[in-house]
């Protein structure tokens, strides 16, 4: 069952300007160390950060809170599964909200797709509840 859907489009030029103007302050406030390490290795650094920014916005929408009710930027971190598929790792207020909207007997699954095609970055997030399968 779908618990939430969110989408966002971010202008890469705007993120590049914020990176130029606020640098470390912006990065520390919005991105996790894992996201920073990955994005700082990219040739197209601003695009990488813009995709992650869009993913966080989309996730906050899918959680139904936006960036409020204890959900903060760094509570949502874009990570890759061993297969390479992107997803979000939630902590803090975002994790608490996810736990609150996930019915008993289910576990949450976060599907994320991110892309960029200058000057835009886009993300879609679907949060689903899947039944917990008992260990046999």
């Amino acid at each position: 069952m779908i618990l939430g859907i969110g989408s966002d489009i971010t202008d890469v030029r705007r993120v590049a300007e914020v990176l130029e103007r606020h640098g470390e302050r912006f990065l520390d406030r919005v991105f996790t160390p894992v996201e920073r390490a990955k994005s700082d290795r990219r040739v197209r650094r601003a695009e990488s950060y813009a995709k992650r920014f869009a993913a966080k916005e989309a996730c906050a929408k899918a959680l139904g809170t936006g960036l409020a009710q204890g959900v903060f930027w760094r509570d949502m971190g874009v990570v890759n599964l061993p297969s390479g598929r992107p997803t979000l790792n939630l902590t803090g207020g975002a994790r608490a909200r996810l736990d609150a909207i996930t019915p008993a007997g289910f576990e949450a699954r976060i599907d994320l797709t991110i892309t960029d095609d200058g000057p835009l970055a886009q993300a879609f997030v679907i949060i689903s509840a899947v039944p917990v399968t008992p260990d046999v």
Side-chain angles (χ1 to χ4, degrees):
M1 91 180 64
I2 293 176
L3 302 176
I5 298 173
S7 67
D8 190 69
I9 298 174
T10 299
D11 190 323
V12 174
R13 296 167 297 193
R14 183 171 158 243
V15 171
E17 289 171 9
V18 173
L19 284 168
E20 181 69 28
R21 185 176 316 134
H22 299 288
E24 288 297 313
R25 187 169 145 231
F26 170 66
L27 294 174
D28 285 342
R29 180 171 179 242
V30 175
F31 299 100
T32 67
V34 169
E35 291 173 308
R36 292 188 62 181
K38 188 155 193 140
S39 292
D40 286 342
R41 288 193 309 264
R42 301 283 190 224
V43 172
R44 294 173 39 185
R45 183 173 178 250
E47 286 87 344
S48 182
Y49 278 118
K51 286 189 285 192
R52 284 156 179 74
F53 187 88
K56 291 167 184 281
E57 287 275 7
C59 182
K61 292 171 186 174
L63 288 170
T65 59
L67 289 158
Q69 300 179 35
V71 175
F72 299 99
W73 291 109
R74 287 179 32 151
D75 290 346
M76 302 168 284
V78 176
V79 296
N80 293 89
L81 298 175
S83 65
R85 180 172 69 90
T87 189
L88 286 142
N89 180 42
L90 304 187
T91 60
R95 169 52 71 179
R97 174 65 181 165
L98 181 64
D99 292 344
I101 65 172
T102 304
F106 289 80
E107 61 186 14
R109 175 180 167 160
I110 301 174
D111 289 299
L112 165 66
T113 183
I114 52 178
T115 190
D116 68 278
D117 188 9
L120 301 175
Q122 185 175 31
F124 290 97
V125 171
I126 299 174
I127 301 174
S128 303
V130 294
V132 174
T133 55
D135 293 333
V136 181

